Amino acid sequence: MKGGGVSSSYSLPVPAKRRWKGLVIAVLALVFLSMLVPLVFLLGLHSSFHSTTGYGSDQRNSASNHVRVYDQQKTTTAHTTNQSKADKSTRVDVIIRRFTPTLPKGFGNASFKATGNDTNGHGVQADLPKRVKKARGNTMAADESEMLCELQFGSYCLWRREQREKMEDSVVKRMKDLLFVARAYYPSIAKLPKFDKLSQEMKQNIQDFERILSETTTDKDLPPQNKQKITMMEATIAKAKSCPVDCNNVDKKFRQLADMTEDEANFHMKQSAFLYKLAVQTMPKSLHCLSMRLTVEYFRSSFDIEDKLLEKFVNRGLYHYVIFSKNVLASSVAINSTVAHAKESEKLVFHLLTDKENFFAMKLWFFRNKYGDAAVQVLNIEDLKLYNHHKVAPLHLSLPEEFRVSFRRVDKLSSTQFRTQYISMFSESFFLLPEIFQSLEKVVVLSDDVIVQRDLSALWNLDMGEKVNGAVQLCTVKLFDLKSYLLSSKFDENSCAWTSGVNIIDLSRWKVQNLTETYQRLVHELKKDEGLLSESSTLSAGLMTFEGLVYGLEDSWIVSGLGYNYGLNSEELGTAAILHFDGSMKPWLDLGIPRYKSYWRKFLDPQNQFLSDCNVSP
């Protein structure tokens, strides 16, 4: 009884036992959930790592300047590096987009970008078909790769291809490849305890390669013992390949390294393309110096234009040339080359239209430098009093705009086959010609990036009939190809596009046709369209304004493309009346195509004191 009493005194009632059992089950359930949730999370990450395209864009690691061993202790560093590179890439993308007009909605088969003198043209990727966008890596043929590069970045890719030099870092590249392979195997080898010796050996080799590559860019910079280190690395990698490692882990690491390399290459491609565009759009230091020196000297001097020159400026019996320019040197070369080949230089009158920033420099330059018996008038477009234009807003000088237009080749089955053309077009300032020169009946408009190699007097004897604009036509681009840009459906689809550079303008017929008002109306209507920007409206409005009013000049009059085309025929260059340096690589820039610079430089005066003081080398 006593024992039973004792037993009963320590036993729990039935309800209490049930409560204890419930608590135990609840604790076990919490422990199980605490283990299950992290496991599910890790499995989710593992499945995302195993995607067919490698890591997602937000999980890719970008290569840093100093290569590191990728182990678990440096995950935070890698993530920080990834974020930093992503931020840089995003900033570059934003800057690049500022150089490129937005494509209009429903543009169809043509891709369009503005380039050249404007702050446009540095393009992000064109509106390419999906098949083109997905073509990547080694599956892309070399010619398609170059074609896509030009569609995306324009003349930068042409320049890069021509500047490519003989490889001087083949051994360095081989070492980088070995380093990538070692990195891919190292994480798996490090997890196997029985391969600690091999793991330490591999880690040491990786660190040695990192130290060498952080200080070396070309083969000549490599230390004397580099061959021995390469042999040791190759032997270590061979040992690692013979180890029973998890292939999935190695595959994952290779995907990570491949994505990292691709991201780094794309980032540097965009960055270098942006710097290229910045270089071709920035005035060289020597030209800026020239403009400033001339401006200062202008206010130290005093001069008057002779009365006989004022008479020549309005004489209809003379040959009147019009040049829009902000570049003293370029406009001087264009005028000098024209006068040098003229049979009767006394009949030549040049009207140079510039802005107030460059007006005084040009005024002094063309007063002190004589061009045969030709007369040169320098006008500040911002000071002109025009009755029918800009009654409230001041006038601003706009130079010819250059556009890059790409089309699919309809005769090819592959959608990656494109034809790229560069078109130079009148800007808004050109449509003020009838108002600026009301006393003249005909003028020839020259771009400031041309040089003349023959007498141009024959242009004044052409019978253009009822046409208004005599220009070289670009029949590889039909208006049908640009129909997505043209508002009106009333145009001849087989009409050819035309380019500026040299244009004969019949001002009398221009006024009768009222083309200035037509252009302004078209630009206004195009800008109202939500999908079109001012750059694209310039091209479409210019083509539509002169639709049916263009007189085609013979192709022998002008050879274009000296600012982007490296493959022009030397015989054509020598026989053409005019050479047009349209494109980004102007002859006065360091990035200009060396082969063509000699045509331009011979019209500079090497003895000019201002050129010498500003280190302008002819």
Side-chain angles (χ1 to χ4, degrees), residues 164-180:
R164 192 172 295 160
E165 299 177 354
K166 183 179 178 181
M167 184 180 293
E168 297 180 352
D169 57 351
S170 57
V171 179
V172 172
K173 290 183 181 297
R174 183 185 174 194
M175 293 181 68
K176 290 181 178 180
D177 292 340
L178 291 173
L179 179 61
F180 285 165

Side-chain angles (χ1 to χ4, degrees), residues 95-112:
I95 295 174
I96 285 176
R97 290 192 187 100
R98 295 177 183 174
F99 283 83
T100 309
T102 305
L103 294 176
K105 296 181 179 179
F107 186 55
N109 293 334
S111 299
F112 165 84

Side-chain angles (χ1 to χ4, degrees), residues 390-425:
H390 287 276
K391 293 182 179 179
V392 179
L395 290 173
H396 294 286
L397 179 68
S398 56
L399 301 178
E401 296 190 40
E402 298 175 347
F403 303 91
R404 187 176 82 248
V405 188
S406 300
F407 304 94
R408 290 193 183 97
R409 291 178 178 174
V410 295
D411 57 332
K412 299 289 184 179
L413 296 178
S414 174
S415 61
T416 60
Q417 298 300 316
F418 281 79
R419 181 177 71 251
T420 300
Q421 295 287 351
Y422 293 79
I423 303 177
S424 182
M425 188 62 56

Side-chain angles (χ1 to χ4, degrees), residues 354-565:
T354 187
D355 57 4
K356 62 181 179 182
E357 181 179 348
N358 298 281
F359 172 72
F360 300 108
M362 288 194 174
K363 195 80 171 177
L364 181 70
W365 177 272
F366 288 102
F367 175 78
R368 289 198 173 183
N369 295 277
K370 301 302 180 182
Y371 301 86
D373 295 323
V376 181
Q377 179 187 28
V378 181
L379 297 173
N380 179 3
I381 196 172
E382 299 177 21
D383 283 345
L384 297 179
K385 306 298 182 182
L386 304 181
Y387 298 101
N388 300 322
H389 191 82
H390 287 276
K391 293 182 179 179
V392 179
L395 290 173
H396 294 286
L397 179 68
S398 56
L399 301 178
E401 296 190 40
E402 298 175 347
F403 303 91
R404 187 176 82 248
V405 188
S406 300
F407 304 94
R408 290 193 183 97
R409 291 178 178 174
V410 295
D411 57 332
K412 299 289 184 179
L413 296 178
S414 174
S415 61
T416 60
Q417 298 300 316
F418 281 79
R419 181 177 71 251
T420 300
Q421 295 287 351
Y422 293 79
I423 303 177
S424 182
M425 188 62 56
F426 285 171
S427 63
E428 184 179 9
S429 295
F430 288 76
F431 289 87
L432 303 178
L433 288 174
E435 300 180 40
I436 298 174
F437 304 104
Q438 297 184 18
S439 61
L440 302 180
E441 296 181 347
K442 181 182 290 187
V443 295
V444 171
V445 180
L446 296 177
S447 296
D448 66 350
D449 55 355
V450 304
I451 61 170
V452 177
Q453 301 186 125
R454 286 211 318 256
D455 178 54
L456 300 183
S457 58
L459 291 174
W460 300 91
N461 300 323
L462 290 177
D463 182 9
M464 299 196 302
E466 298 298 322
K467 307 299 183 180
V468 176
N469 181 7
V472 174
Q473 293 183 308
L474 190 65
C475 287
T476 53
V477 180
K478 304 287 188 179
L479 294 189
F480 170 79
D481 299 321
L482 299 173
K483 64 179 182 179
S484 298
Y485 273 99
L486 307 180
L487 286 180
S488 174
S489 59
K490 298 179 181 180
F491 61 88
D492 184 2
E493 294 183 349
N494 293 320
S495 295
C496 300
W498 56 274
T499 64
S500 64
V502 53
N503 300 86
I504 312 166
I505 302 298
D506 190 325
L507 296 177
S508 300
R509 291 192 177 94
W510 182 308
K511 296 175 184 177
V512 173
Q513 297 283 350
N514 202 9
L515 297 184
T516 300
E517 183 177 340
T518 301
Y519 174 81
Q520 294 171 353
R521 174 178 54 81
L522 288 171
V523 169
H524 179 71
E525 292 176 359
L526 288 167
K527 285 185 178 180
K528 288 197 319 185
D529 190 329
E530 184 179 355
L532 289 176
L533 297 180
S534 58
E535 292 83 5
S536 59
S537 64
T538 301
L539 174 64
S540 53
L543 291 174
M544 291 175 62
T545 299
F546 291 103
E547 210 280 314
L549 299 174
V550 177
Y551 175 85
L553 298 178
E554 294 182 4
D555 293 340
S556 60
W557 274 107
I558 186 170
V559 171
S560 301
L562 279 77
Y564 65 86
N565 190 347

Side-chain angles (χ1 to χ4, degrees), residues 290 329 365 369 601-614 616-618:
L290 178 63
L329 215 56
W365 177 272
N369 295 277
R601 285 175 172 170
K602 64 183 179 182
F603 294 105
L604 292 176
D605 179 12
Q607 305 301 324
N608 187 284
Q609 186 62 40
F610 287 104
L611 298 185
S612 301
D613 292 344
C614 292
V616 179
S617 56

